[in-house]
Amino acid sequence: MSSSASIQPDDGLRDVKLAHVPFPITRLALWIFTLAVALGFAYIVAINPNFGWPVVAQYLFDPTVMQGLWVTLGLTVVAMIIGVVLGLILAIARMSNDRLASYLASLFIWFFRGTPLLVQLIFWYNMSTLFPRISIGIASWDTNDLITPLTAAIVGLALNEAAYMAEIIRGGLLSVDKGQAETAEAFGMNRARALWRIIIPQAMKSIVPPTGNQLISMIKATSLVSVIAMADLLYSVQSIYNRTFEIIPMLLVAVLWYLFITSILNVGQGAIERYYNRGDRGSMPADRTKENATPMVGAAHEHV
Amino acid sequence: MSMSETSLVRARNVHKAFGPLEVLKGIDLDVAPGEVVVILGPSGSGKSTFLRCINHLEAIDQGFIEVDGEQIGYRLRDDRLIKLSNRDIAVQRSKIGMVFQQFNLYPHMTALQNVIEAPIGVHGQNRNEAVRYAKELLNRVGLAEKMDAYPRQLSGGQQQRVAIARALAIRPRLMLFDEPTSALDPELVGEVLATMRDLAKEGLTMIVVTHEIGFAKEAADRVVFMDGGVVVEEGPPAAVLTNPSHPRTRSFLSRFI
């Protein structure tokens, strides 16, 4: 059979396999320029005595700072865990067919998202002026025994976080294909099991990234508790510079620690996202995809 | 089985409306144990809705549906009909297997995990036994070597066969197929139909909503033709498909020749 493809004299040179890539001289120049500017800036900052780097080094691992760091981390972890659990309950309540549950959840979210966290913390801290005693049934406590700076900080941060997490989790649950809930239902799963085994694992893909955001916000939001005399990271460096007047170096100590924690969290978030994407094509370990590729051909023909 | 109740499925005067739209206008249907019933009909005739009513994915407005002697969604107590709790309905559903048009495999689980989920989680089977039976079923649908694959790594036909294995894993009394081949590329339809033909031969009670006239002809014990929310005609495939008595059946079938 004669081919319709015509032949030109330089066709042999046109095969893209033989192509050369021109040296990217402008890209290289840009890289060098950017690097030079960055290094220059770093040098200026490093030799500027006003930054007080020796003081930063001296106080970076100071026991007071370390204690503040642990308070910040502890508050973040506890408030975040309570916030996520409560947020999940609120999200489910808000999506439920039960009007009462749905309205109550909406009311909670409306209030705690609608008022500043700082104001909420001060309210919790001053709860005793509103309710001097708290009683449940016959049990009764002095409010000041219950609401210490620590509990006020945890309650304030956690309830505020729960309101935001509720909306994030609700969005994630809504992102899962409706057919999944229906399938679970058709197989006789109860609602709790369907949520736990089928819906939530799939919702995690869209819940994790904004939750990472929330966690990073939370670490910084804990610095607000310094107003109710909780000795967190910011409070501890403040207490030092109130004595030594080395404001900038001490704030740099806090900044370095905040950056360090958020960097670690970014790495952790990446790992969690990879885990919840495991059912996606292309995110599989290479060896497993390969091992499955061969039998696929055979299996497809078996029943034809 | 008692003499008076030879039917596995009994539907009487089933009505269902979505708002002002009346989808089912009085369906009566009996399915005997081991029988394969294929429901044919144009889109919008109510056949998928009827199938979904059988396991109470949709609640019916009038009439009743019984599966294996139990009324779906309700219980007769002292001559009063009481609505069942979600928990009791879940128990009724756990005897009915369902295969969906869009497969609806759980995408975050491997084929094997998909198959063992309900046996372990709903039926309380022990894990080893569930895994053993799941492997046997995956082997039966020709996918033994795919058990560690995630749904997205499988072709549509393979996914649907896993979905069939998943439905079989609960040892159902009744299998419902909701247009199981409609979402498949034409070259993949054959493998799914072949699997379903095998099940029909093994004596599984099946209700199949489909557009595959060929499958109805070969595998059905009875064909039910629905249009406009009513059963227009039913009978053995040879009669209904080759010599339909109703003009609407004739005009529907003429489109496939």
Side-chain angles (χ1 to χ4, degrees):
Chain A
M1 191 174 68
S2 78
S3 163
S4 65
S6 68
I7 296 168
Q8 299 285 326
D10 54 357
D11 277 2
L13 302 173
R14 287 185 186 276
D15 189 341
V16 294
K17 264 172 96 176
L18 310 171
H20 299 269
V21 181
F23 187 74
I25 187 80
T26 42
R27 298 297 306 162
L28 191 70
L30 262 174
W31 270 96
I32 290 172
F33 175 73
T34 311
L35 229 74
V37 170
L39 282 174
F41 184 71
Y43 179 70
I44 290 168
V45 170
I47 60 156
N48 186 334
N50 296 332
F51 279 93
W53 292 111
V55 181
V56 173
Q58 183 193 337
Y59 280 101
L60 194 58
F61 297 101
D62 186 273
T64 313
V65 173
M66 286 293 105
Q67 211 160 19
L69 177 66
W70 285 117
V71 170
T72 287
L73 285 177
L75 267 182
T76 303
V77 169
V78 172
M80 199 67 196
I81 289 173
I82 299 175
V84 168
V85 172
L86 196 57
L88 177 65
I89 295 169
L90 285 168
I92 293 168
R94 187 155 184 201
M95 289 170 73
S96 89
N97 293 326
D98 187 323
R99 284 272 178 82
L100 181 66
S102 159
Y103 284 156
L104 284 177
S106 301
L107 187 72
F108 181 100
I109 294 165
W110 169 76
F111 182 80
F112 284 97
R113 283 202 311 176
T115 51
L117 177 55
L118 185 60
V119 176
Q120 289 172 28
L121 284 170
I122 295 170
F123 258 96
W124 284 111
Y125 187 55
N126 293 300
M127 193 54 86
S128 61
T129 60
L130 298 173
F131 304 103
R133 289 193 74 76
I134 293 174
S135 45
I136 302 167
I138 49 161
S140 171
W141 300 273
D142 191 330
T143 305
N144 274 331
D145 293 341
L146 287 180
I147 307 288
T148 61
L150 177 68
T151 49
I154 289 175
V155 170
L157 290 170
L159 294 190
N160 186 264
E161 189 58 33
Y164 283 92
M165 283 309 301
E167 288 298 274
I168 290 172
I169 293 170
R170 189 170 70 99
L173 297 178
L174 287 174
S175 76
V176 178
D177 176 22
K178 279 211 181 73
Q180 292 288 312
E182 189 169 76
T183 306
E185 204 185 334
F187 275 87
M189 275 186 223
N190 58 38
R191 268 185 68 85
R193 189 176 172 90
L195 266 174
W196 189 246
R197 293 284 302 169
I198 309 298
I199 310 297
I200 290 175
Q202 296 182 55
M204 287 306 270
K205 210 186 297 183
S206 42
I207 291 175
V208 170
T211 303
N213 247 348
Q214 286 301 112
L215 188 56
I216 286 168
S217 297
M218 171 68 94
I219 287 167
K220 292 174 296 175
T222 53
S223 63
L224 288 175
V225 303
S226 54
V227 301
I228 56 172
M230 265 301 279
D232 76 315
L233 180 56
L234 185 64
Y235 187 90
S236 65
V237 299
Q238 282 171 337
S239 72
I240 294 174
Y241 70 60
N242 282 340
R243 217 167 0 93
T244 65
F245 301 108
E246 287 162 325
I247 298 177
I248 296 295
M250 287 320 294
L251 285 179
L252 281 173
V253 168
V255 162
L256 287 177
W257 278 117
Y258 282 122
L259 280 176
F260 177 71
I261 300 166
T262 46
S263 308
I264 290 179
L265 289 176
N266 282 336
V267 175
Q269 186 182 337
I272 294 171
E273 280 174 27
R274 273 192 299 283
Y275 174 78
Y276 282 109
N277 283 331
R278 69 194 184 283
D280 281 351
R281 201 197 294 269
S283 64
M284 293 297 300
D287 54 2
R288 183 173 249 181
T289 343
K290 248 182 232 161
E291 153 198 327
N292 285 338
T294 348
M296 189 179 280
V297 186
H301 290 291
E302 253 163 56
H303 274 277
V304 179
Chain B
M1 203 177 343
S2 73
M3 290 297 284
S4 58
E5 286 181 24
T6 46
S7 300
L8 185 71
V9 179
R10 290 174 68 220
R12 288 294 176 272
N13 194 29
V14 172
H15 282 72
K16 171 73 187 173
F18 293 108
L21 182 70
E22 243 191 301
V23 182
L24 302 178
K25 302 171 184 167
I27 304 281
D28 293 308
L29 184 75
D30 278 41
V31 179
E35 196 179 18
V36 176
V37 173
V38 170
I39 304 181
L40 296 175
S43 317
S45 59
K47 50 195 193 314
S48 279
T49 303
F50 177 61
L51 198 73
R52 293 160 55 80
C53 288
I54 296 176
N55 65 355
H56 211 271
L57 283 181
E58 305 284 355
I60 61 177
D61 301 332
Q62 196 185 326
F64 67 85
I65 298 175
E66 252 180 43
V67 174
D68 205 10
E70 274 185 57
Q71 180 168 354
I72 296 298
Y74 301 85
R75 177 186 295 134
L76 204 54
R77 195 195 296 148
D78 304 330
D79 288 344
R80 272 158 47 99
L81 194 62
I82 316 282
K83 199 172 187 299
L84 289 180
S85 66
N86 288 340
R87 178 184 296 253
D88 290 333
I89 293 171
V91 171
Q92 293 183 330
R93 282 182 180 132
S94 64
K95 301 172 198 163
I96 303 172
M98 186 155 187
V99 174
F100 298 86
Q101 183 175 352
Q102 301 294 341
F103 330 134
N104 293 5
L105 290 180
Y106 310 128
H108 57 300
M109 297 181 181
T110 63
L112 183 72
Q113 289 169 337
N114 262 278
V115 178
I116 62 177
E117 177 60 28
I120 293 175
V122 179
H123 298 257
Q125 261 183 41
N126 106 7
R127 195 185 164 81
N128 291 338
E129 164 58 17
V131 167
R132 189 200 58 74
Y133 191 48
K135 285 179 177 169
E136 185 186 317
L137 289 171
L138 284 171
N139 192 35
R140 222 160 100 190
V141 299
L143 291 171
E145 61 291 279
K146 292 274 151 202
M147 64 179 194
D148 290 326
Y150 284 95
R152 270 168 221 186
Q153 299 167 318
L154 300 172
S155 73
Q158 292 172 330
Q159 287 190 50
Q160 193 60 300
R161 285 188 281 151
V162 173
I164 291 172
R166 175 177 68 172
L168 291 173
I170 63 171
R171 302 174 200 266
R173 299 277 291 143
L174 170 69
M175 278 281 274
L176 306 175
F177 292 84
D178 187 6
E179 306 205 20
T181 57
S182 297
L184 293 175
D185 292 337
E187 77 269 22
L188 301 177
V189 169
E191 59 188 88
V192 172
L193 291 181
T195 306
M196 289 168 60
R197 267 195 299 272
D198 292 345
L199 298 177
K201 268 183 228 147
E202 287 163 26
L204 189 67
T205 313
M206 296 163 56
I207 303 179
V208 184
V209 167
T210 185
H211 292 287
E212 296 291 333
I213 307 287
F215 175 79
K217 215 173 267 183
E218 286 173 56
D221 297 310
R222 188 152 47 103
V223 171
V224 173
F225 180 74
M226 276 178 70
D227 192 12
V230 294
V231 172
V232 172
E233 182 168 1
E234 62 175 303
V240 176
L241 296 175
T242 52
N243 193 16
S245 61
H246 201 283
R248 276 193 278 179
T249 320
R250 273 200 292 275
S251 86
F252 175 76
L253 290 173
S254 67
R255 273 176 265 157
F256 290 90
I257 299 164

